[in-house]
Amino acid sequence: MGILSLLLNDVSKKIICTETGAAPLFNDRETASKQVNRLTIADCPPSDSNPREMSTAGPTSTVDPKAVYNALWSHPTQGMYVLEVLEEGADFRFIDFNQACKDNSSIPVEEIQGQQLSKSFSPEVVRLYLPRYTQCVQTRRILCFEEKLPLENSLAHWSLTVYPLIDRSDKVTQLLVTAIDITHRKQLESLTESRQILQQVIDTVPAAIFWKDTDSRYLGCNINFAKIAGFEDVNDLVGKNDYVMVWKKEESDFFRECDRRVMDSDQSALNINETQLQPGGREAWQRTSKIPLHNSEGVVNGMLGVIEDITDWKEIQDKQSRLLAILEATPDIIGITDACGYHRYLNQAGQHMFNTSSEQVKFLHLADLAPPDIAEMLISEALPTAREKGIWSGESTIRNCHGQNIPVSHVIISHKSEEGLTERFSSMMRDISKRKIA
């Protein structure tokens, strides 16, 4: 484009001739019928008294404008076409197209050759291009711009450079337009932008996300995964494998084994609980899901991983497990009921006392465990007191599966929601028969 600009700036100030030297560079009637007078310069007046010289390491040489124009017009990928200026730029006529333009155009150029711009395209397209061409005529300057051409089911993007061609009367009579299809570049730019947006989205997700190729090399991740892997930038992981991360070798072996199993079987592995060494020596519990990825032909070409840090949940679960073990081992009767007094949990001592199972517990009301008078007291006094004050304690009586009444010390605690409403009660009963006898 640099040589073309120099030549056109020089030559367009002069008369551009055909081989006869009597007509403009392109004659629309001849071109439409014979497609002659292509982009050639013959018998053209020189741009100055001496040919343009190009300095080289060897002897001085000159530029042959005709040869340059012929080479450019014959370029296999550089599309070019020529417009005739009508009514000083009110409209334009398509005179000729080089072969590259014919081969690469998204529209059949033969259909518009010899036709006016205003009659060749829809008003929408004419409004895009006509002002540009008119501007070039009026300013007599080279104009560069990018524009899109609406097609039936898509958009074509073009980068165009418009050169004014000036005749002997010093009028712009024709325009030479070079056109480069930049649709693919625009699609790549759009894809890049989409990827940036996607990266922003996955960076806001609380989970750690990563994806790998079939060799378990990292292709990308979100910022949460980068941090637990010991990196500050997501791009630092690209191309690396698990053995250069902060985790232990046996962890890396296990991760890659899972990767291989997912990709070889083309089956997802969901909710895998595993430990992972993290920066600072912290060992975290994580719940990982791995999903195979496919190319356009359905062939597995990688995998996606989503990691949720469940360390806090795991610690709570462990505490609950230890507490449950204590509750199950104690000889005291421990029960948990809903806000209405129906059991949701009864420990082993309680199940043995009332000859019930964990599945049958939900049908037992707190009052079902006591004689009628005590049951009435629990419903009318103990539960309302616990609901109001948070706790009730006293002595009551329970009736075991053999019909025996057993005195117990009894504590009922109310558990409330954030809104202050009772959600459940927990009760603890201890056999005080021996103390009563004493």
Side-chain angles (χ1 to χ4, degrees), residues 5 11 19 50 62 119 138 227 231 245 249 338 412:
S5 297
V11 178
E19 293 180 0
N50 296 314
T62 61
K119 297 178 181 179
Q138 293 174 346
K227 288 181 178 178
F231 295 91
M245 304 301 168
K249 181 182 181 300
D338 60 20
I412 300 176

Side-chain angles (χ1 to χ4, degrees), residues 135-154:
Q135 180 183 354
C136 184
V137 173
Q138 293 174 346
T139 62
R140 303 160 67 92
R141 300 183 65 179
I142 297 172
L143 179 65
C144 302
F145 64 97
E146 292 182 1
E147 196 52 86
K148 55 190 176 183
L149 177 63
L151 303 177
E152 185 176 353
N153 297 313
S154 62

Side-chain angles (χ1 to χ4, degrees), residues 335-352:
I336 299 175
T337 71
D338 60 20
C340 297
Y342 284 95
H343 278 85
R344 293 294 173 260
Y345 167 79
L346 194 61
N347 69 347
Q348 288 292 322
Q351 292 178 35
H352 179 74

Side-chain angles (χ1 to χ4, degrees), residues 187-200:
Q187 290 172 340
L188 290 178
E189 291 174 356
S190 178
L191 180 60
T192 300
E193 183 179 356
S194 297
R195 285 176 174 172
Q196 291 172 344
I197 294 173
L198 177 60
Q199 186 68 49
Q200 293 174 4

Side-chain angles (χ1 to χ4, degrees), residues 87-100:
E87 300 176 17
E88 298 184 350
D91 202 352
F92 299 85
R93 189 193 315 277
F94 292 97
I95 298 178
D96 201 9
F97 301 85
N98 75 344
Q99 193 61 44

Side-chain angles (χ1 to χ4, degrees), residues 145-414:
F145 64 97
E146 292 182 1
E147 196 52 86
K148 55 190 176 183
L149 177 63
L151 303 177
E152 185 176 353
N153 297 313
S154 62
L155 280 177
H157 294 265
W158 292 91
S159 174
L160 299 106
T161 303
V162 187
Y163 300 89
L165 305 181
I166 304 170
D167 67 7
R168 288 184 176 140
S169 63
D170 201 35
K171 293 178 60 177
V172 178
T173 57
Q174 297 174 349
L175 300 180
L176 171 66
V177 183
T178 64
I180 302 175
D181 188 341
I182 58 171
T183 303
H184 182 63
R185 191 193 80 192
K186 288 294 185 180
Q187 290 172 340
L188 290 178
E189 291 174 356
S190 178
L191 180 60
T192 300
E193 183 179 356
S194 297
R195 285 176 174 172
Q196 291 172 344
I197 294 173
L198 177 60
Q199 186 68 49
Q200 293 174 4
V201 171
I202 66 173
D203 281 344
T204 62
V205 175
I209 302 173
F210 64 90
W211 49 100
K212 296 180 175 180
D213 64 16
T214 52
D215 293 322
S216 286
R217 290 189 298 260
Y218 288 94
L219 297 176
C221 66
N222 68 350
I223 190 63
N224 290 332
F225 185 83
K227 288 181 178 178
I228 66 175
F231 295 91
E232 293 297 324
D233 192 310
V234 296
N235 295 314
D236 292 340
L237 277 81
V238 176
K240 293 181 172 61
N241 61 36
D242 291 291
Y243 293 112
V244 298
M245 304 301 168
V246 296
W247 27 89
K248 303 173 185 175
K249 181 182 181 300
E250 54 267 29
E251 291 177 334
S252 297
D253 291 339
F254 175 72
F255 299 154
R256 291 169 64 86
E257 179 186 342
C258 291
D259 296 347
R260 191 75 271 144
R261 187 164 55 248
V262 166
M263 289 186 281
D264 288 347
S265 67
D266 196 9
Q267 297 291 325
S268 300
L270 306 177
N271 300 325
I272 306 168
N273 291 346
E274 55 195 9
T275 59
Q276 187 180 72
L277 186 65
Q278 297 186 348
R282 174 178 179 261
E283 187 168 78
W285 273 95
Q286 298 183 332
R287 177 169 294 156
T288 303
S289 294
K290 296 185 175 182
I291 304 163
L293 299 176
H294 306 84
N295 62 19
S296 58
E297 298 177 352
V299 178
V300 174
N301 63 352
M303 54 142 290
L304 171 73
V306 180
I307 299 175
E308 178 187 3
D309 191 323
I310 59 170
T311 305
D312 293 341
W313 174 85
K314 185 68 175 175
E315 290 177 354
I316 293 173
Q317 288 292 103
D318 289 344
K319 289 179 181 178
Q320 290 178 340
S321 296
R322 290 193 292 270
L323 176 59
L324 182 62
I326 294 172
L327 295 180
E328 291 296 307
T330 182
D332 294 339
I333 298 171
I334 309 295
I336 299 175
T337 71
D338 60 20
C340 297
Y342 284 95
H343 278 85
R344 293 294 173 260
Y345 167 79
L346 194 61
N347 69 347
Q348 288 292 322
Q351 292 178 35
H352 179 74
M353 176 70 69
F354 303 111
N355 191 29
T356 188
S357 65
S358 57
E359 292 77 16
Q360 296 172 321
V361 160
K362 61 184 179 181
F363 300 109
L364 285 177
H365 192 275
L366 187 61
D368 295 333
L369 311 181
D373 57 329
I374 299 300
E376 176 63 26
M377 183 273 294
L378 291 173
I379 293 173
S380 62
E381 178 184 336
L383 291 180
T385 300
R387 184 177 286 110
E388 178 183 355
K389 298 182 178 180
I391 187 171
W392 173 88
S393 62
E395 293 185 359
S396 67
T397 303
I398 58 175
R399 182 169 290 174
N400 67 14
C401 59
H402 304 294
Q404 298 173 324
N405 291 338
I406 301 173
V408 294
S409 61
H410 200 159
V411 176
I412 300 176
I413 299 173
S414 171

